[in-house]
Amino acid sequence: MFDAPHTYLKQPPLCFERRDPVPVPNPHMVVWNEPLAVALGIDYDTLSPASWAEVLAGTYRLPHSEPFAQAYAGHQYGNFVPQLGDGRAIMLGEVRDPHGRLWDVQLKGSGTTRFSRNGDGRCPLMPALREYIISEAMAGLGIPTTRTLGVIASSMIIKRPHTLHPIQPAGVMMRIAASHIRVGTCEYFAAHQEYEALKAVADYALQRHYPHLMEEARPYEALLRAVIHAQAELIAAWMLVGFIHGVMNTDNMTLSGETIDFGPCAFMNHYDPATVFSSIDRYGRYAYGNQPSIAVWNLWVLSESLRPVLEQPMQADQVRELFYAAFERSYAHGMQKKLGIAHHAEQTLWAVLTPLLTMMHACEADYTLTFRTLAELVNHDAENYAQQTMHTHPLWHGWVQQWRAMQPDTALMQRNNPAVIARNHLVEEALEAAVTPNDVGDMRPLHALVETLRTPYAEPQEKYRTQPPPKGSCAYETFCGT
Ligand code: AMP
Ligand code: MG
Protein backbone atom coordinates (compact mmCIF):
# COMPACT_ATOMS: atom_id res chain seq x y z
CA MET A 1 0.00 0.00 0.00
CA PHE A 2 2.59 2.60 1.07
CA ASP A 3 6.11 2.62 -0.38
CA ALA A 4 7.50 4.98 2.24
CA PRO A 5 6.33 7.29 5.04
CA HIS A 6 4.29 10.31 3.89
CA THR A 7 6.35 12.96 2.08
CA TYR A 8 4.82 15.65 4.32
CA LEU A 9 6.89 14.28 7.20
CA LYS A 10 9.92 15.92 5.55
CA GLN A 11 8.34 19.32 6.25
CA PRO A 12 9.48 21.36 9.29
CA PRO A 13 8.25 19.76 12.52
CA LEU A 14 5.74 22.48 13.32
CA CYS A 15 3.73 21.50 10.23
CA PHE A 16 2.34 18.41 11.94
CA GLU A 17 2.09 16.35 15.10
CA ARG A 18 2.97 12.66 15.03
CA ARG A 19 -0.05 10.92 16.48
CA ASP A 20 -1.55 7.43 16.24
CA PRO A 21 -5.27 6.89 15.76
CA VAL A 22 -7.12 6.12 19.01
CA PRO A 23 -8.72 2.71 18.37
CA VAL A 24 -12.49 2.18 18.25
CA PRO A 25 -14.00 -1.17 19.39
CA ASN A 26 -15.80 -3.72 17.20
CA PRO A 27 -15.23 -2.20 13.77
CA HIS A 28 -17.55 -3.29 11.03
CA MET A 29 -16.93 -2.33 7.41
CA VAL A 30 -20.07 -0.69 6.03
CA VAL A 31 -18.67 0.91 2.87
CA TRP A 32 -15.85 -0.16 0.63
CA ASN A 33 -15.58 2.02 -2.47
CA GLU A 34 -14.53 -0.58 -5.01
CA PRO A 35 -14.38 1.70 -8.11
CA LEU A 36 -12.07 4.05 -6.21
CA ALA A 37 -9.98 1.15 -4.88
CA VAL A 38 -9.53 -0.09 -8.45
CA ALA A 39 -8.56 3.39 -9.65
CA LEU A 40 -5.94 3.55 -6.89
CA GLY A 41 -4.70 0.03 -7.58
CA ILE A 42 -5.74 -1.22 -4.13
CA ASP A 43 -6.97 -4.77 -3.69
CA TYR A 44 -9.32 -5.34 -0.74
CA ASP A 45 -7.82 -8.77 -0.03
CA THR A 46 -4.16 -7.72 0.02
CA LEU A 47 -4.11 -7.11 3.77
CA SER A 48 -5.16 -10.61 4.75
CA PRO A 49 -5.01 -11.86 7.52
CA ALA A 50 -5.34 -8.25 8.80
CA SER A 51 -8.35 -6.37 7.46
CA TRP A 52 -9.24 -2.89 6.26
CA ALA A 53 -11.71 -2.67 9.14
CA GLU A 54 -8.72 -2.92 11.51
CA VAL A 55 -6.85 -0.22 9.58
CA LEU A 56 -9.80 2.17 9.86
CA ALA A 57 -10.34 1.22 13.51
CA GLY A 58 -6.73 2.13 14.25
CA THR A 59 -5.76 -1.31 15.50
CA TYR A 60 -3.60 -2.33 12.55
CA ARG A 61 -0.85 -0.11 11.25
CA LEU A 62 -0.03 -0.45 7.56
CA PRO A 63 3.65 -1.01 6.73
CA HIS A 64 5.54 2.32 6.29
CA SER A 65 2.70 4.24 7.90
CA GLU A 66 3.86 6.97 10.31
CA PRO A 67 0.58 8.63 11.29
CA PHE A 68 0.29 12.36 11.96
CA ALA A 69 -2.14 15.26 12.27
CA GLN A 70 -1.63 18.39 10.15
CA ALA A 71 -1.47 21.92 11.53
CA TYR A 72 -3.52 24.67 9.92
CA ALA A 73 -5.37 27.87 10.75
CA GLY A 74 -8.36 29.43 9.02
CA HIS A 75 -11.01 32.07 8.74
CA GLN A 76 -14.30 30.63 9.96
CA TYR A 77 -17.25 32.76 8.82
CA GLY A 78 -14.79 35.58 8.29
CA ASN A 79 -13.13 35.35 11.73
CA PHE A 80 -9.51 34.35 11.98
CA VAL A 81 -8.68 31.34 14.16
CA PRO A 82 -4.89 31.05 14.43
CA GLN A 83 -4.93 27.35 15.19
CA LEU A 84 -7.38 24.75 13.90
CA GLY A 85 -5.58 21.67 12.54
CA ASP A 86 -6.69 18.06 12.24
CA GLY A 87 -8.77 17.72 15.38
CA ARG A 88 -10.26 14.40 14.40
CA ALA A 89 -8.27 13.30 11.39
CA ILE A 90 -5.02 11.36 11.11
CA MET A 91 -2.93 10.99 7.98
CA LEU A 92 -1.80 7.42 7.44
CA GLY A 93 0.30 7.79 4.32
CA GLU A 94 0.34 8.22 0.57
CA VAL A 95 -0.64 5.73 -2.08
CA ARG A 96 0.74 5.86 -5.62
CA ASP A 97 -1.90 5.01 -8.25
CA PRO A 98 -1.15 3.07 -11.47
CA HIS A 99 -0.52 6.42 -13.25
CA GLY A 100 2.16 7.30 -10.71
CA ARG A 101 0.10 9.99 -8.95
CA LEU A 102 0.29 10.32 -5.18
CA TRP A 103 -2.85 10.42 -3.02
CA ASP A 104 -3.21 11.19 0.68
CA VAL A 105 -4.82 8.45 2.74
CA GLN A 106 -6.39 9.93 5.85
CA LEU A 107 -8.69 8.72 8.60
CA LYS A 108 -11.48 10.97 9.83
CA GLY A 109 -13.06 10.31 13.22
CA SER A 110 -9.92 8.61 14.49
CA GLY A 111 -9.63 10.25 17.92
CA THR A 112 -8.20 13.36 19.48
CA THR A 113 -4.98 15.16 18.56
CA ARG A 114 -3.16 18.25 19.76
CA PHE A 115 -5.62 20.20 17.59
CA SER A 116 -8.86 18.82 19.03
CA ARG A 117 -9.62 21.75 21.39
CA ASN A 118 -12.85 20.67 23.13
CA GLY A 119 -13.83 18.10 20.49
CA ASP A 120 -13.98 14.36 21.03
CA GLY A 121 -12.05 13.55 17.85
CA ARG A 122 -14.93 11.44 16.58
CA CYS A 123 -17.33 11.42 13.69
CA PRO A 124 -20.82 9.93 14.01
CA LEU A 125 -21.70 7.35 11.38
CA MET A 126 -24.33 9.45 9.56
CA PRO A 127 -22.07 12.35 8.56
CA ALA A 128 -19.37 9.86 7.53
CA LEU A 129 -21.86 8.13 5.22
CA ARG A 130 -23.20 11.47 4.04
CA GLU A 131 -19.70 12.49 2.98
CA TYR A 132 -19.41 9.22 1.05
CA ILE A 133 -22.71 9.81 -0.79
CA ILE A 134 -22.10 13.42 -1.72
CA SER A 135 -18.46 13.01 -2.68
CA GLU A 136 -19.35 10.08 -4.95
CA ALA A 137 -22.08 12.25 -6.48
CA MET A 138 -19.48 14.95 -7.16
CA ALA A 139 -17.08 12.40 -8.67
CA GLY A 140 -19.93 11.05 -10.84
CA LEU A 141 -20.58 14.58 -12.09
CA GLY A 142 -16.89 14.89 -13.01
CA ILE A 143 -16.16 17.55 -10.38
CA PRO A 144 -12.74 17.49 -8.64
CA THR A 145 -13.31 16.11 -5.16
CA THR A 146 -11.76 14.28 -2.25
CA ARG A 147 -13.35 10.82 -1.95
CA THR A 148 -14.15 8.14 0.57
CA LEU A 149 -12.44 4.77 0.21
CA GLY A 150 -14.17 3.11 3.13
CA VAL A 151 -16.29 3.64 6.22
CA ILE A 152 -16.49 1.54 9.39
CA ALA A 153 -19.10 1.58 12.12
CA SER A 154 -18.08 0.86 15.72
CA SER A 155 -19.94 -0.19 18.85
CA MET A 156 -18.72 3.09 20.41
CA ILE A 157 -21.66 5.49 20.84
CA ILE A 158 -21.31 9.18 19.97
CA LYS A 159 -23.49 11.89 21.46
CA ARG A 160 -24.25 15.09 19.60
CA PRO A 161 -26.94 16.90 21.61
CA HIS A 162 -29.01 19.52 19.76
CA THR A 163 -28.78 17.74 16.41
CA LEU A 164 -31.46 15.72 14.61
CA HIS A 165 -29.76 12.42 15.48
CA PRO A 166 -28.20 12.99 18.91
CA ILE A 167 -27.11 9.38 19.50
CA GLN A 168 -25.26 7.40 16.86
CA PRO A 169 -22.57 4.77 16.47
CA ALA A 170 -19.08 6.17 15.87
CA GLY A 171 -17.95 6.02 12.27
CA VAL A 172 -14.45 6.28 10.87
CA MET A 173 -13.94 7.08 7.23
CA MET A 174 -10.91 6.83 5.03
CA ARG A 175 -10.49 9.89 2.86
CA ILE A 176 -8.46 10.03 -0.34
CA ALA A 177 -7.26 13.44 -1.51
CA ALA A 178 -4.73 14.89 -3.95
CA SER A 179 -3.44 16.54 -0.77
CA HIS A 180 -4.81 18.20 2.35
CA ILE A 181 -2.98 21.50 1.93
CA ARG A 182 -5.49 24.27 2.48
CA VAL A 183 -5.57 28.05 2.30
CA GLY A 184 -5.60 27.73 6.09
CA THR A 185 -2.30 25.81 6.01
CA CYS A 186 -0.55 28.86 4.55
CA GLU A 187 -2.39 31.14 6.97
CA TYR A 188 -1.04 29.13 9.89
CA PHE A 189 2.61 29.75 9.05
CA ALA A 190 2.05 33.36 7.98
CA ALA A 191 0.23 34.16 11.24
CA HIS A 192 3.00 32.56 13.29
CA GLN A 193 5.64 34.33 11.19
CA GLU A 194 7.23 30.99 10.38
CA TYR A 195 8.34 31.99 6.91
CA GLU A 196 10.71 29.07 6.35
CA ALA A 197 7.84 26.66 6.97
CA LEU A 198 5.58 28.77 4.76
CA LYS A 199 8.09 28.55 1.95
CA ALA A 200 8.49 24.82 2.51
CA VAL A 201 4.73 24.28 2.26
CA ALA A 202 4.51 26.43 -0.88
CA ASP A 203 7.34 24.38 -2.41
CA TYR A 204 5.54 21.21 -1.36
CA ALA A 205 2.27 22.35 -2.99
CA LEU A 206 4.13 23.30 -6.17
CA GLN A 207 5.86 19.98 -6.40
CA ARG A 208 2.76 18.01 -5.61
CA HIS A 209 0.13 19.81 -7.70
CA TYR A 210 1.84 22.10 -10.18
CA PRO A 211 5.31 20.62 -10.83
CA HIS A 212 5.44 22.24 -14.28
CA LEU A 213 5.56 25.65 -12.53
CA MET A 214 8.62 24.92 -10.41
CA GLU A 215 10.97 26.23 -13.09
CA GLU A 216 9.02 29.47 -13.55
CA ALA A 217 10.92 32.71 -12.93
CA ARG A 218 8.42 33.57 -10.19
CA PRO A 219 7.26 30.17 -8.92
CA TYR A 220 5.25 31.40 -5.91
CA GLU A 221 3.31 33.87 -7.96
CA ALA A 222 2.74 31.06 -10.46
CA LEU A 223 1.47 28.87 -7.60
CA LEU A 224 -0.97 31.55 -6.49
CA ARG A 225 -2.23 32.05 -10.03
CA ALA A 226 -2.63 28.30 -10.48
CA VAL A 227 -4.66 27.95 -7.27
CA ILE A 228 -6.86 30.89 -8.26
CA HIS A 229 -7.43 29.22 -11.60
CA ALA A 230 -8.14 25.77 -10.13
CA GLN A 231 -10.58 27.21 -7.59
CA ALA A 232 -12.33 29.32 -10.25
CA GLU A 233 -12.93 26.19 -12.30
CA LEU A 234 -14.08 24.28 -9.23
CA ILE A 235 -16.59 26.93 -8.14
CA ALA A 236 -17.89 27.21 -11.71
CA ALA A 237 -18.45 23.44 -11.72
CA TRP A 238 -20.35 23.71 -8.40
CA MET A 239 -22.51 26.54 -9.72
CA LEU A 240 -23.35 24.62 -12.89
CA VAL A 241 -24.82 21.69 -10.94
CA GLY A 242 -26.40 23.75 -8.14
CA PHE A 243 -24.02 22.55 -5.43
CA ILE A 244 -23.83 24.57 -2.23
CA HIS A 245 -20.76 23.78 -0.15
CA GLY A 246 -22.22 25.42 2.94
CA VAL A 247 -19.04 26.14 4.88
CA MET A 248 -16.47 27.76 2.61
CA ASN A 249 -14.13 28.68 5.45
CA THR A 250 -10.53 29.11 4.34
CA ASP A 251 -9.56 25.87 6.09
CA ASN A 252 -12.01 24.08 3.81
CA MET A 253 -10.43 25.33 0.57
CA THR A 254 -7.65 23.25 -0.95
CA LEU A 255 -4.66 24.36 -3.00
CA SER A 256 -5.25 21.37 -5.28
CA GLY A 257 -8.69 22.61 -6.38
CA GLU A 258 -10.56 19.60 -5.00
CA THR A 259 -13.84 19.88 -3.11
CA ILE A 260 -13.22 19.08 0.55
CA ASP A 261 -15.22 18.88 3.76
CA PHE A 262 -18.78 17.79 3.16
CA GLY A 263 -20.39 19.19 6.27
CA PRO A 264 -23.58 21.12 5.66
CA CYS A 265 -23.43 20.92 1.86
CA ALA A 266 -26.47 20.20 -0.33
CA PHE A 267 -27.82 20.55 -3.86
CA MET A 268 -30.25 23.35 -4.60
CA ASN A 269 -33.82 22.44 -5.53
CA HIS A 270 -35.68 25.46 -6.97
CA TYR A 271 -33.41 28.08 -8.44
CA ASP A 272 -32.69 30.88 -6.00
CA PRO A 273 -29.24 32.46 -5.59
CA ALA A 274 -30.01 33.09 -1.90
CA THR A 275 -30.41 29.38 -1.12
CA VAL A 276 -28.76 28.32 2.14
CA PHE A 277 -29.17 24.95 3.86
CA SER A 278 -26.73 25.17 6.74
CA SER A 279 -28.46 25.68 10.08
CA ILE A 280 -25.59 27.82 11.39
CA ASP A 281 -25.21 30.05 8.32
CA ARG A 282 -27.71 32.57 9.66
CA TYR A 283 -26.70 35.48 7.44
CA GLY A 284 -26.37 33.47 4.26
CA ARG A 285 -22.64 34.14 3.91
CA TYR A 286 -22.20 30.86 2.04
CA ALA A 287 -25.42 31.02 -0.02
CA TYR A 288 -25.38 29.52 -3.52
CA GLY A 289 -24.98 32.86 -5.29
CA ASN A 290 -22.25 34.08 -2.94
CA GLN A 291 -19.85 31.24 -3.63
CA PRO A 292 -17.76 32.97 -6.32
CA SER A 293 -17.28 36.14 -4.25
CA ILE A 294 -16.47 34.11 -1.13
CA ALA A 295 -13.90 32.18 -3.14
CA VAL A 296 -12.31 35.49 -4.16
CA TRP A 297 -12.20 36.56 -0.53
CA ASN A 298 -10.56 33.26 0.48
CA LEU A 299 -8.03 33.51 -2.35
CA TRP A 300 -7.18 37.04 -1.32
CA VAL A 301 -6.48 35.62 2.16
CA LEU A 302 -4.20 33.10 0.44
CA SER A 303 -2.38 35.83 -1.46
CA GLU A 304 -1.90 37.82 1.78
CA SER A 305 -0.61 34.69 3.53
CA LEU A 306 1.87 34.00 0.75
CA ARG A 307 3.03 37.63 0.73
CA PRO A 308 6.28 36.93 2.67
CA VAL A 309 7.42 34.52 -0.05
CA LEU A 310 5.81 36.13 -3.10
CA GLU A 311 8.23 37.71 -5.56
CA GLN A 312 5.75 40.57 -5.89
CA PRO A 313 2.64 41.02 -3.71
CA MET A 314 -0.68 40.56 -5.45
CA GLN A 315 -3.36 43.19 -4.90
CA ALA A 316 -6.93 42.23 -4.06
CA ASP A 317 -8.17 43.63 -7.39
CA GLN A 318 -5.81 41.39 -9.28
CA VAL A 319 -6.94 38.32 -7.36
CA ARG A 320 -10.53 39.21 -8.22
CA GLU A 321 -9.76 39.83 -11.88
CA LEU A 322 -7.80 36.61 -12.28
CA PHE A 323 -10.55 34.64 -10.57
CA TYR A 324 -13.45 36.08 -12.53
CA ALA A 325 -11.65 35.77 -15.87
CA ALA A 326 -11.28 32.01 -15.30
CA PHE A 327 -14.61 31.59 -13.53
CA GLU A 328 -16.69 33.33 -16.17
CA ARG A 329 -15.02 31.46 -19.00
CA SER A 330 -15.61 28.14 -17.29
CA TYR A 331 -19.17 28.93 -16.22
CA ALA A 332 -20.12 30.32 -19.63
CA HIS A 333 -18.69 27.32 -21.43
CA GLY A 334 -20.55 24.96 -19.09
CA MET A 335 -23.80 26.88 -19.57
CA GLN A 336 -23.40 26.85 -23.34
CA LYS A 337 -23.28 23.07 -23.12
CA LYS A 338 -26.22 22.88 -20.71
CA LEU A 339 -28.27 24.93 -23.19
CA GLY A 340 -26.97 22.98 -26.18
CA ILE A 341 -25.57 26.11 -27.83
CA ALA A 342 -21.82 25.51 -27.64
CA HIS A 343 -21.62 25.98 -31.43
CA HIS A 344 -22.47 29.69 -30.99
CA ALA A 345 -20.17 32.50 -29.89
CA GLU A 346 -19.92 33.00 -26.13
CA GLN A 347 -21.45 36.49 -26.31
CA THR A 348 -24.79 35.02 -27.44
CA LEU A 349 -25.09 33.04 -24.22
CA TRP A 350 -26.15 35.83 -21.88
CA ALA A 351 -29.09 36.92 -24.02
CA VAL A 352 -30.51 33.41 -23.51
CA LEU A 353 -29.29 32.56 -20.04
CA THR A 354 -30.22 35.75 -18.19
CA PRO A 355 -33.98 35.62 -19.01
CA LEU A 356 -34.05 31.87 -18.36
CA LEU A 357 -32.60 32.30 -14.85
CA THR A 358 -34.98 35.21 -14.24
CA MET A 359 -37.94 32.97 -15.12
CA MET A 360 -36.63 30.04 -13.10
CA HIS A 361 -36.23 32.29 -10.08
CA ALA A 362 -39.66 33.91 -10.46
CA CYS A 363 -41.45 30.57 -11.06
CA GLU A 364 -39.48 28.68 -8.40
CA ALA A 365 -38.44 26.17 -11.02
CA ASP A 366 -36.30 23.25 -9.95
CA TYR A 367 -32.76 23.87 -11.22
CA THR A 368 -31.86 20.31 -12.22
CA LEU A 369 -35.24 19.33 -13.67
CA THR A 370 -35.51 22.51 -15.73
CA PHE A 371 -32.22 22.00 -17.50
CA ARG A 372 -32.75 18.28 -17.90
CA THR A 373 -36.19 18.66 -19.48
CA LEU A 374 -35.42 21.66 -21.72
CA ALA A 375 -34.07 19.38 -24.44
CA GLU A 376 -37.59 17.95 -24.93
CA LEU A 377 -38.73 21.38 -26.09
CA VAL A 378 -36.29 21.70 -28.96
CA ASN A 379 -38.65 20.30 -31.59
CA HIS A 380 -42.13 20.38 -30.11
CA ASP A 381 -44.19 21.81 -27.24
CA ALA A 382 -44.14 18.69 -25.11
CA GLU A 383 -45.98 18.85 -21.80
CA ASN A 384 -42.85 18.76 -19.77
CA TYR A 385 -41.53 20.17 -16.52
CA ALA A 386 -39.88 23.33 -17.86
CA GLN A 387 -42.97 24.21 -19.91
CA GLN A 388 -45.42 23.49 -17.09
CA THR A 389 -43.48 25.51 -14.58
CA MET A 390 -42.67 28.59 -16.62
CA HIS A 391 -45.24 28.94 -19.47
CA THR A 392 -47.23 31.57 -17.56
CA HIS A 393 -44.21 33.85 -17.36
CA PRO A 394 -44.45 36.73 -19.85
CA LEU A 395 -40.97 36.02 -21.21
CA TRP A 396 -41.50 32.31 -21.80
CA HIS A 397 -42.87 32.00 -25.35
CA GLY A 398 -40.48 34.54 -26.80
CA TRP A 399 -37.63 32.88 -25.01
CA VAL A 400 -38.43 29.40 -26.34
CA GLN A 401 -38.54 30.75 -29.91
CA GLN A 402 -35.28 32.60 -29.51
CA TRP A 403 -33.54 29.57 -28.07
CA ARG A 404 -34.97 27.14 -30.65
CA ALA A 405 -33.72 29.38 -33.43
CA MET A 406 -30.20 28.65 -32.17
CA GLN A 407 -30.75 24.97 -33.00
CA PRO A 408 -29.73 23.49 -29.67
CA ASP A 409 -27.80 20.24 -29.70
CA THR A 410 -29.92 17.88 -27.59
CA ALA A 411 -27.28 15.15 -27.31
CA LEU A 412 -24.86 17.71 -25.84
CA MET A 413 -27.56 18.78 -23.40
CA GLN A 414 -28.13 15.21 -22.23
CA ARG A 415 -24.43 14.83 -21.51
CA ASN A 416 -24.28 18.04 -19.50
CA ASN A 417 -27.53 18.14 -17.54
CA PRO A 418 -27.70 15.48 -14.84
CA ALA A 419 -30.94 13.52 -14.54
CA VAL A 420 -30.16 12.75 -10.93
CA ILE A 421 -28.40 14.64 -8.16
CA ALA A 422 -27.96 13.87 -4.46
CA ARG A 423 -31.34 15.36 -3.52
CA ASN A 424 -31.71 16.14 0.14
CA HIS A 425 -34.72 13.90 0.62
CA LEU A 426 -33.04 10.96 -1.13
CA VAL A 427 -29.89 11.39 0.96
CA GLU A 428 -31.90 11.66 4.19
CA GLU A 429 -33.98 8.60 3.34
CA ALA A 430 -30.85 6.53 2.70
CA LEU A 431 -29.16 7.73 5.91
CA GLU A 432 -32.28 7.15 8.05
CA ALA A 433 -32.37 3.55 6.83
CA ALA A 434 -28.61 3.03 7.22
CA VAL A 435 -28.14 4.20 10.81
CA THR A 436 -30.00 3.46 14.04
CA PRO A 437 -29.04 5.01 17.42
CA ASN A 438 -26.84 2.07 18.34
CA ASP A 439 -26.23 0.06 15.19
CA VAL A 440 -26.01 -0.14 11.43
CA GLY A 441 -29.41 -0.48 9.79
CA ASP A 442 -30.30 -1.33 6.21
CA MET A 443 -27.48 -0.17 3.91
CA ARG A 444 -29.24 -1.21 0.68
CA PRO A 445 -31.00 2.12 -0.08
CA LEU A 446 -27.68 3.95 0.41
CA HIS A 447 -25.77 1.61 -1.90
CA ALA A 448 -28.54 1.87 -4.53
CA LEU A 449 -28.47 5.66 -4.33
CA VAL A 450 -24.69 5.84 -4.69
CA GLU A 451 -24.83 3.44 -7.66
CA THR A 452 -27.33 5.78 -9.36
CA LEU A 453 -25.30 8.89 -8.56
CA ARG A 454 -22.25 7.38 -10.25
CA THR A 455 -23.90 7.74 -13.69
CA PRO A 456 -25.91 10.95 -13.26
CA TYR A 457 -26.39 11.62 -16.97
CA ALA A 458 -28.11 8.28 -17.65
CA GLU A 459 -31.86 7.99 -17.15
CA PRO A 460 -32.35 6.82 -13.56
CA GLN A 461 -35.05 4.55 -12.17
CA GLU A 462 -38.39 6.28 -11.58
CA LYS A 463 -37.74 6.60 -7.84
CA TYR A 464 -34.72 8.83 -8.37
CA ARG A 465 -36.45 10.93 -11.01
CA THR A 466 -39.06 12.12 -8.51
CA GLN A 467 -39.64 15.82 -8.18
CA PRO A 468 -38.12 17.72 -5.28
CA PRO A 469 -40.35 18.58 -2.34
CA PRO A 470 -42.55 21.60 -3.15
CA LYS A 471 -41.31 24.90 -1.80
CA GLY A 472 -42.65 25.59 1.68
CA SER A 473 -42.68 21.93 2.69
CA CYS A 474 -38.97 22.04 2.18
CA ALA A 475 -37.63 23.07 5.58
CA TYR A 476 -34.45 21.13 5.03
CA GLU A 477 -31.50 22.06 7.19
CA THR A 478 -28.02 20.66 7.29
CA PHE A 479 -25.90 20.61 10.40
CA CYS A 480 -22.29 21.50 10.82
CA GLY A 481 -21.85 20.11 14.33
CA THR A 482 -20.94 16.71 12.98
P1 AMP B 1 -14.85 21.40 10.11
O1 AMP B 1 -16.07 22.15 10.53
O2 AMP B 1 -15.06 19.94 9.94
O3 AMP B 1 -14.15 22.02 8.95
O4 AMP B 1 -13.85 21.49 11.33
C1 AMP B 1 -13.31 22.69 11.82
C2 AMP B 1 -12.26 22.37 12.87
O5 AMP B 1 -12.86 21.73 13.98
C3 AMP B 1 -11.16 21.45 12.39
O6 AMP B 1 -9.97 21.87 13.01
C4 AMP B 1 -11.60 20.10 12.89
O7 AMP B 1 -10.53 19.22 13.06
C5 AMP B 1 -12.23 20.47 14.23
N1 AMP B 1 -13.27 19.50 14.65
C6 AMP B 1 -14.50 19.34 14.14
N2 AMP B 1 -15.16 18.37 14.79
C7 AMP B 1 -14.33 17.88 15.75
C8 AMP B 1 -14.42 16.88 16.76
N3 AMP B 1 -15.51 16.14 16.93
N4 AMP B 1 -13.34 16.68 17.55
C9 AMP B 1 -12.23 17.42 17.40
N5 AMP B 1 -12.07 18.37 16.48
C10 AMP B 1 -13.11 18.62 15.66
MG1 MG C 1 -12.74 21.34 7.77
Side-chain angles (χ1 to χ4, degrees):
M1 173 84 178
F2 302 140
D3 302 333
H6 199 293
T7 48
Y8 203 70
L9 290 165
K10 296 192 190 112
Q11 294 293 302
L14 76 162
C15 295
F16 56 86
E17 179 208 24
R18 287 181 185 268
R19 174 73 73 133
D20 286 333
V22 185
V24 291
N26 304 311
H28 169 57
M29 205 85 196
V30 287
V31 166
W32 176 258
N33 188 340
E34 185 61 21
L36 178 59
V38 169
L40 294 170
I42 296 172
D43 178 1
Y44 187 77
D45 298 319
T46 44
L47 290 187
S48 176
S51 70
W52 282 99
E54 291 167 80
V55 176
L56 272 80
T59 50
Y60 175 73
R61 187 195 284 209
L62 290 161
H64 301 296
S65 177
E66 294 183 20
F68 63 94
Q70 272 173 323
Y72 55 84
H75 277 83
Q76 298 186 310
Y77 292 90
N79 304 306
F80 184 59
V81 184
Q83 182 169 302
L84 288 164
D86 289 333
R88 54 168 168 173
I90 300 278
M91 191 84 75
L92 296 184
E94 275 158 327
V95 62
R96 198 174 285 282
D97 74 14
H99 301 287
R101 282 184 298 238
L102 274 182
W103 299 92
D104 278 4
V105 179
Q106 194 194 57
L107 297 182
K108 183 167 169 184
S110 46
T112 53
T113 71
R114 177 158 79 81
F115 308 108
S116 299
R117 292 168 290 162
N118 298 322
D120 59 3
R122 296 300 175 192
C123 178
L125 185 54
M126 260 195 197
L129 293 175
R130 194 166 187 280
E131 175 151 349
Y132 169 59
I133 299 172
I134 312 252
S135 55
E136 285 310 287
M138 297 300 267
L141 289 162
I143 298 175
T145 182
T146 60
R147 291 175 75 180
T148 305
L149 180 59
V151 179
I152 56 161
S154 159
S155 59
M156 176 188 280
I157 297 297
I158 301 293
K159 297 198 175 120
R160 291 284 184 270
H162 319 300
T163 63
L164 272 183
H165 302 279
I167 299 177
Q168 289 180 49
V172 179
M173 50 168 274
M174 188 176 261
R175 177 158 67 189
I176 306 295
S179 89
H180 286 80
I181 314 263
R182 308 145 192 266
V183 170
T185 314
C186 299
E187 286 180 83
Y188 182 80
F189 302 111
H192 294 89
Q193 300 182 4
E194 294 282 357
Y195 301 140
E196 281 308 307
L198 178 67
K199 190 166 171 303
V201 164
D203 286 335
Y204 185 88
L206 269 168
Q207 181 159 24
R208 183 109 185 213
H209 303 303
Y210 310 102
H212 56 288
L213 301 178
M214 289 169 72
E215 303 306 321
E216 289 278 312
R218 300 202 287 218
Y220 303 116
E221 184 186 320
L223 170 68
L224 178 56
R225 284 170 176 268
V227 177
I228 293 172
H229 197 269
Q231 282 293 337
E233 297 210 318
L234 178 67
I235 309 297
W238 290 357
M239 300 301 282
L240 288 166
V241 298
F243 178 74
I244 304 166
H245 183 281
V247 59
M248 284 177 70
N249 293 335
T250 54
D251 53 305
N252 293 336
M253 186 179 250
T254 57
L255 299 205
S256 67
E258 283 187 335
T259 311
I260 195 167
D261 226 311
F262 297 83
C265 60
F267 285 82
M268 178 166 65
N269 290 314
H270 65 276
Y271 175 73
D272 182 354
T275 306
V276 174
F277 288 110
S278 170
S279 60
I280 58 168
D281 192 1
R282 292 216 181 80
Y283 304 104
R285 179 181 170 91
Y286 299 139
Y288 171 76
N290 283 358
Q291 296 185 123
S293 56
I294 288 292
V296 171
W297 194 87
N298 289 352
L299 291 162
W300 170 73
V301 169
L302 176 66
S303 80
E304 285 298 294
S305 305
L306 289 176
R307 190 183 271 261
V309 300
L310 278 181
E311 297 82 359
Q312 197 179 315
M314 197 182 279
Q315 303 303 322
D317 278 351
Q318 198 185 351
V319 174
R320 188 188 309 115
E321 278 159 27
L322 286 171
F323 179 89
Y324 278 110
F327 173 80
E328 277 166 14
R329 195 176 323 115
S330 205
Y331 179 79
H333 193 55
M335 272 298 176
Q336 283 186 301
K337 291 195 276 189
K338 283 174 87 68
L339 288 165
I341 54 172
H343 51 294
H344 290 267
E346 196 182 301
Q347 301 90 289
T348 60
L349 169 70
W350 303 102
V352 185
L353 180 61
T354 309
L356 176 64
L357 292 178
T358 303
M359 289 187 286
M360 287 167 68
H361 192 190
C363 303
E364 301 187 353
D366 182 76
Y367 183 78
T368 306
L369 276 173
T370 300
F371 278 104
R372 181 69 181 186
T373 57
L374 265 187
E376 296 162 18
L377 290 178
V378 171
N379 298 315
H380 52 91
D381 286 314
E383 267 305 299
N384 76 352
Y385 178 82
Q387 166 95 8
Q388 281 164 5
T389 317
M390 294 186 289
H391 75 276
T392 53
H393 196 284
L395 294 177
W396 177 252
H397 292 285
W399 184 85
V400 173
Q401 278 179 4
Q402 180 195 3
W403 174 63
R404 270 186 191 155
M406 297 176 84
Q407 300 184 311
D409 174 347
T410 51
L412 183 69
M413 294 179 75
Q414 298 288 5
R415 290 198 303 275
N416 288 280
N417 291 305
V420 54
I421 51 161
R423 295 249 185 225
N424 304 324
H425 65 279
L426 294 174
V427 173
E428 271 335 285
E429 199 181 286
L431 291 175
E432 293 280 351
V435 181
T436 70
N438 52 16
D439 210 347
V440 179
D442 181 1
M443 287 291 295
R444 284 172 301 183
L446 189 148
H447 290 310
L449 175 61
V450 170
E451 225 24 68
T452 307
L453 292 170
R454 286 195 167 129
T455 53
Y457 301 100
E459 275 305 314
Q461 286 173 8
E462 192 56 40
K463 172 179 162 55
Y464 299 109
R465 209 184 294 135
T466 48
Q467 305 225 345
K471 203 190 169 202
S473 73
C474 172
Y476 186 78
E477 279 198 327
T478 53
F479 290 89
C480 200
T482 52

